[in-house]
Amino acid sequence: MSDAENATAFSFWSDAFAQRLHHFDHISPRDRSSAATVREVIENEVDAIKKALLAVYTRRNALLPVHILPPEILARIFQFLTIMDQPGDITRVKTKRLVSLGWIASVTHVCRYWRQVALDIPRLWGRISLRLGSRWSDEMIARSKSAPLTIAQSLQSEIHGVDVTHILPSHLSHVGELWLTGSLGRVLPLLGVPAPLLETLALVSHHTSSDPAPLLILISQSHRLRCIVLEIFRSRGPLSQQDISYAWTLHISPSLLQSRTT
Amino acid sequence: MPTIVSVDDSTVPGEGSSRLLLLVSSDNKHIVVEEDIMSRSRFISKQVEGFEATSQRHAILLPFSSFVLNKVIEYCSHYRGYYLLEDDPDAAPPGRSPVREWDQEFLDVDRNMLLRIIKAAHYLEIKSLVGSCARAIADMIRGKTTEEMREILGVENDFTPEEEHSPSSKCTG
């Protein structure tokens, strides 16, 4: 834009502002009551200008190379980010524990268009980040709509965020991938129901004494299951040779599963 | 619908097994390429089917520059004759599979070029190339702060203060 064009634009917007406020020109600062009213009016005008400016930024953004990508391409990019940049990393700043939002911040904090695209893709939200706490896990489940959920948690003694046992009872029917490691004692009893969307089940535990019957129900009644990884040692104390003989490790490939069902 | 123009047989030679296609870029460069090479593009394959139905040969006009088109042809030439799972229309988008080393080098280009290639691949319906570009862009973005992202992409913050804090405000514990 040339200097002349710049000057014209400036003159246009200055005139518009002056015109909006010209009937307050005669107000004196000594007239305290009127001055206060005018100050408020001016504040409102400034807010309106800021809002209008944001709309101008949206138009400017729409012309950038990155914005000419259609939503279906952005969806592919965002999908990779959900795996590469998972939420939940914890950093400490003074006494505060900050949990990283990972891809959620990368995608939804940048601009309106990206946020809208992300909100319109339910499957992005299906990878539930339990470490962000219940507000976020509830929000992600709601945004995932009917897309299958992916739930992954390490069941250590100290769990940061939402305990998976609070999620599973009401959402197992909606889970597409379930990855759990650690002590499965509290989880196994919750699994004895069909999970019609479940495609991947991975359970790794080196010390569980729970009854595996619910697990067998889950496996036999979840007809979309095509990847099962189970490494479960039944043990009550430190691992011994005898414990290892009780261990069962099962990896089922899609072809094996197909032969089972035919 | 893509724009097509009729061409005579002297412009597009070739009969039988190694037929040639004439692709015309937005900067009006004419590029002759073997049909086999471009068969990874569902868009081109559909065009060729159309030619066979009408027994007419056409040049295919494409809405991107010859520079971008040559990059896409380079990709298709490299994988000529290879089956890539991602090009299967029924294949789920690969998530955790490792990025192919050749693709990584091939896509080591500047940001704007990467965006042009992904748009061209999307137009030509080459799923594997769209996937590789998407992964490269995701790689460029990951781990960046919002401000860094805006700077990289040249984007202005267009959120109102209310929008800025919802629905994705920071969580603290």
Side-chain angles (χ1 to χ4, degrees):
Chain A
M1 195 184 257
S2 68
D3 287 349
E5 283 169 319
N6 266 331
T8 308
F10 178 73
S11 155
F12 176 88
W13 295 112
S14 301
D15 287 352
F17 191 62
Q19 208 174 344
R20 292 275 305 164
L21 298 172
H22 79 277
H23 42 278
F24 298 118
D25 287 350
H26 64 282
I27 300 291
S28 156
R30 286 183 199 145
D31 181 353
R32 287 187 179 182
S33 159
S34 300
T37 307
V38 173
R39 275 203 305 274
E40 198 177 319
V41 169
I42 290 176
E43 289 298 329
N44 288 338
E45 292 291 322
V46 169
D47 284 348
I49 289 170
K50 281 181 183 168
K51 276 188 185 161
L53 193 58
L54 293 174
V56 174
Y57 282 147
T58 301
R59 284 190 69 165
R60 179 193 172 279
N61 286 346
L63 298 171
L64 293 169
V66 74
H67 274 63
I68 53 175
L69 296 180
E72 54 270 33
I73 294 183
L74 284 177
R76 291 296 305 276
I77 297 168
F78 296 168
Q79 216 169 351
F80 279 115
L81 280 170
T82 62
I83 295 165
M84 290 175 171
D85 195 6
Q86 296 187 21
D89 283 349
I90 296 169
T91 49
R92 286 193 177 277
V93 177
K94 294 181 182 169
T95 55
K96 270 194 171 175
R97 191 167 62 89
L98 296 177
V99 184
S100 155
L101 285 175
W103 72 268
I104 299 174
S106 308
V107 166
T108 68
H109 288 183
V110 174
C111 60
R112 283 178 170 174
Y113 175 55
W114 277 31
R115 176 179 288 184
Q116 197 51 54
V117 170
L119 290 175
D120 289 343
I121 308 168
R123 68 177 184 277
L124 287 184
W125 301 95
R127 189 174 293 277
I128 308 301
S129 300
L130 299 173
R131 297 184 85 179
L132 294 180
S134 59
R135 187 174 79 83
W136 268 104
S137 59
D138 291 348
E139 187 66 34
M140 293 181 90
I141 289 170
R143 287 181 194 170
S144 70
K145 296 183 178 164
S146 57
L149 304 179
T150 295
I151 293 180
Q153 192 170 51
S154 173
L155 301 161
Q156 309 301 334
S157 51
E158 189 194 355
I159 294 171
H160 294 291
V162 180
D163 186 336
V164 73
T165 58
H166 296 154
I167 299 272
L168 283 179
S170 41
H171 297 290
L172 187 56
S173 62
H174 196 189
V175 172
E177 293 185 32
L178 184 60
W179 305 75
L180 298 174
T181 59
S183 177
L184 297 176
R186 290 179 306 120
V187 173
L188 285 180
L190 304 174
L191 300 181
V193 291
L197 301 183
L198 190 65
E199 292 191 351
T200 300
L201 175 67
L203 302 176
V204 178
S205 175
H206 291 170
H207 44 80
T208 187
S209 55
S210 296
D211 178 8
L215 187 56
L216 300 176
I217 294 171
L218 177 74
I219 291 172
S220 62
Q221 295 191 15
S222 301
H223 300 297
R224 287 175 72 171
L225 253 185
R226 55 190 173 88
C227 176
I228 304 174
V229 179
L230 298 177
E231 292 185 18
I232 297 179
F233 294 84
R234 303 197 65 194
S235 155
R236 288 174 193 279
L239 285 179
S240 67
Q241 188 58 43
Q242 193 187 13
D243 292 324
I244 291 170
S245 68
Y246 280 113
W248 49 298
T249 300
L250 183 61
H251 293 252
I252 298 184
S253 68
S255 57
L256 253 176
L257 203 66
Q258 199 175 13
S259 66
R260 186 191 69 164
T261 54
T262 51
Chain B
M1 277 293 286
T3 313
I4 52 177
V5 293
S6 293
V7 291
D8 61 38
D9 284 348
S10 61
T11 318
V12 184
E15 285 295 332
S17 58
S18 59
R19 288 191 304 185
L20 300 178
L21 293 172
L22 177 61
L23 307 180
V24 182
S25 60
S26 60
D27 51 347
N28 205 29
K29 295 276 170 22
H30 291 212
I31 298 171
V32 177
V33 61
E34 285 182 61
E35 187 186 313
D36 267 6
I37 290 176
M38 295 310 291
S39 63
R40 194 168 297 284
S41 158
R42 292 195 68 218
F43 172 83
I44 298 281
S45 299
K46 283 186 268 183
Q47 294 299 304
V48 170
E49 278 169 28
F51 299 163
E52 280 161 1
T54 59
S55 308
Q56 294 263 322
R57 287 185 150 307
H58 299 291
I60 301 173
L61 302 191
L62 298 168
F64 35 85
S65 71
S66 54
F67 193 62
V68 174
L69 179 55
N70 276 319
K71 278 295 273 186
V72 175
I73 292 171
E74 184 188 344
Y75 176 87
C76 292
S77 302
H78 180 78
Y79 287 114
R80 182 183 194 172
Y82 281 94
Y83 168 77
L84 299 178
L85 179 65
E86 308 96 283
D87 285 322
D88 191 322
D90 299 324
R96 297 181 184 85
S97 55
V99 62
R100 285 184 290 271
E101 202 175 314
W102 187 87
D103 289 16
Q104 218 165 6
E105 284 174 27
F106 172 73
L107 294 173
D108 187 14
V109 293
D110 69 57
R111 183 188 70 228
N112 285 339
M113 186 61 182
L114 194 54
L115 295 174
R116 287 191 195 111
I117 295 172
I118 196 171
K119 271 204 82 185
H122 179 67
Y123 185 88
L124 291 169
E125 297 176 65
I126 306 174
K127 279 181 74 181
S128 55
L129 183 53
V130 170
S132 292
C133 291
R135 187 196 290 259
I137 295 168
D139 232 351
M140 194 172 76
I141 291 170
R142 72 163 162 181
K144 301 281 190 297
T145 64
T146 303
E147 289 71 26
E148 286 170 334
M149 293 267 300
R150 288 190 186 129
E151 199 173 323
I152 288 171
L153 302 170
V155 172
E156 291 286 349
N157 178 5
D158 60 354
F159 290 123
T160 62
E162 299 81 39
E163 286 172 331
E164 189 135 38
H165 297 291
S166 171
S168 305
S169 55
K170 292 266 186 283
C171 288
T172 56

